[in-house]
Amino acid sequence: MNKTIIITLLVFWSVFNSVAQKKDSILYSLMPKIPSTLTETSQRADYLALHYWDNFDFLDFVKLKKDELLERGFADFIDLLSITSKETMELAINILMKKAEIDPDLIITLATLSEKYLYEPNSPLGDEEKFIPFMRYMINSRKVVEENKIRPRFMLEYVLKNRLGEVANNFTYKLINDDTGTLHSIEADYTLLFFKNPTCEECNKLAKKLIFSPIVNDLVKDGKLKILTVYLLDDVDEWRNHASSVLHSWIYARDAEGKINLEGIYNIKRYPTVYLLDKDKKVVLKDTNFERIEKFLKELKVI
């Protein structure tokens, strides 16, 4: 590489790191001091979550937007809530939103950030359980005009479907031989509900990971895990043509009544969309990925 280019890159990297460190130091300076009397990790996390925004100046929206201070702080706040109790999580979010009511633009900005970080399918911080309190606050707040409550109402309706710990909505599926069955009639300790499109690259990547996963294969072999793949589009020929690409041990099906699309009983943000259900068809993992599935199955210690 040309020496001049190398020097230019090094200078750029030095400046970039300096700016990044400055931004981090500003954010760090706003963090509340945790009382030394709180020694348990859970206590310290809860305190930090409840007092996280104490030193942010919500009267100065311009300052909060500068250097993406609000968004960076928000992302760290969401990450922090992953190690707090559910009660603390909901209370901390309500505290934040209450502070934001001082400026109509600020509360809308926070709602937008909550959607970006907690609802969008590709967000590494995605978590609908954390997203719900934000939408509920928007709907119930007197500071939010009715026009700005339309989207939160719509989104809340969808995220409340098939919540963690609740029984997943039942539907009838059809097999290649035209036999039918229902989700709730599947007998297994766990059911992997896999909404996929045969031509979806990410779907095929996930399928390969499942195929080559020792723990998944062992559980399927022992009958403790059933994998139900469901095709939701209208091209039945396409669905039939891809049947040979799916393992015989999996249930290869399509939505027999079109109920999932017509009635919206599942919130399909993108393909693949995957749920892990227990014996009673209660949702264990929602809109999840391979890493979380495999981690959960390994922790079962059933093999």
Side-chain angles (χ1 to χ4, degrees), residues 26 28 42 69 76 78 118 140 151 187 215 238 240 258:
I26 294 172
Y28 180 77
S42 59
L69 183 62
D76 288 348
I78 292 302
L118 298 171
N140 295 325
R151 183 168 178 80
E187 295 183 2
I215 188 142
E238 178 186 56
R240 290 185 180 278

Side-chain angles (χ1 to χ4, degrees), residues 9 28-29 48 91 117 146 160 165 184 187 215 227 239 253 278:
L9 288 173
Y28 180 77
S29 69
L48 182 57
L91 180 56
Y117 283 94
E146 283 301 313
L160 288 178
H184 287 186
E187 295 183 2
I215 188 142
I227 299 179
W239 169 68
D278 68 10

Side-chain angles (χ1 to χ4, degrees), residues 81-110:
L81 295 181
S82 298
I83 58 172
T84 67
S85 66
K86 182 179 179 182
E87 292 74 21
T88 297
M89 176 266 287
E90 293 178 347
L91 180 56
I93 290 172
N94 284 335
I95 289 172
L96 166 61
M97 296 300 278
K98 183 67 177 177
K99 287 178 178 291
E101 284 192 341
I102 201 167
D103 186 327
D105 289 337
L106 183 53
I107 196 169
I108 296 301
T109 298
L110 287 174

Side-chain angles (χ1 to χ4, degrees), residues 144-201:
V144 178
V145 298
E146 283 301 313
E147 178 185 349
N148 291 329
K149 293 184 179 185
I150 296 173
R151 183 168 178 80
R153 285 197 182 102
F154 173 79
M155 301 188 80
L156 183 62
E157 178 185 351
Y158 271 94
V159 298
L160 288 178
K161 294 177 181 179
N162 307 299
R163 288 182 73 182
L164 294 176
E166 295 184 355
V167 176
N169 286 323
N170 197 21
F171 60 89
T172 301
Y173 61 80
K174 181 173 284 191
L175 305 175
I176 287 291
N177 62 7
D178 289 332
D179 285 349
T180 59
T182 65
L183 171 65
H184 287 186
S185 67
I186 295 175
E187 295 183 2
D189 290 347
Y190 292 91
T191 301
L192 190 69
L193 179 55
F194 184 179
F195 294 108
K196 68 189 292 286
N197 180 345
T199 60
C200 159
E201 185 177 344

Side-chain angles (χ1 to χ4, degrees), residues 6-21:
I6 294 175
I7 293 173
T8 302
L9 288 173
L10 288 173
V11 170
F12 171 79
W13 183 247
S14 176
V15 172
F16 176 83
N17 277 336
S18 176
V19 172
Q21 288 172 8

Side-chain angles (χ1 to χ4, degrees), residues 200-242:
C200 159
E201 185 177 344
E202 291 302 316
C203 298
N204 295 328
K205 285 181 181 178
L206 174 57
K208 287 180 180 178
K209 288 180 179 179
L210 293 169
I211 289 170
F212 289 106
S213 170
I215 188 142
V216 170
N217 280 305
D218 287 341
L219 287 170
V220 169
K221 183 179 178 181
D222 293 342
K224 294 177 179 178
L225 173 67
K226 294 287 180 67
I227 299 179
L228 171 63
T229 66
V230 183
Y231 178 78
L232 298 178
L233 303 182
D234 297 326
D235 192 340
V236 178
D237 288 336
E238 178 186 56
W239 169 68
R240 290 185 180 278
N241 291 337
H242 284 83

Side-chain angles (χ1 to χ4, degrees), residues 171-172 232 234 254-265:
F171 60 89
T172 301
L232 298 178
D234 297 326
R254 63 184 177 90
D255 182 9
E257 302 168 333
K259 189 175 181 180
I260 296 170
N261 283 333
L262 292 175
E263 298 181 17
I265 61 173

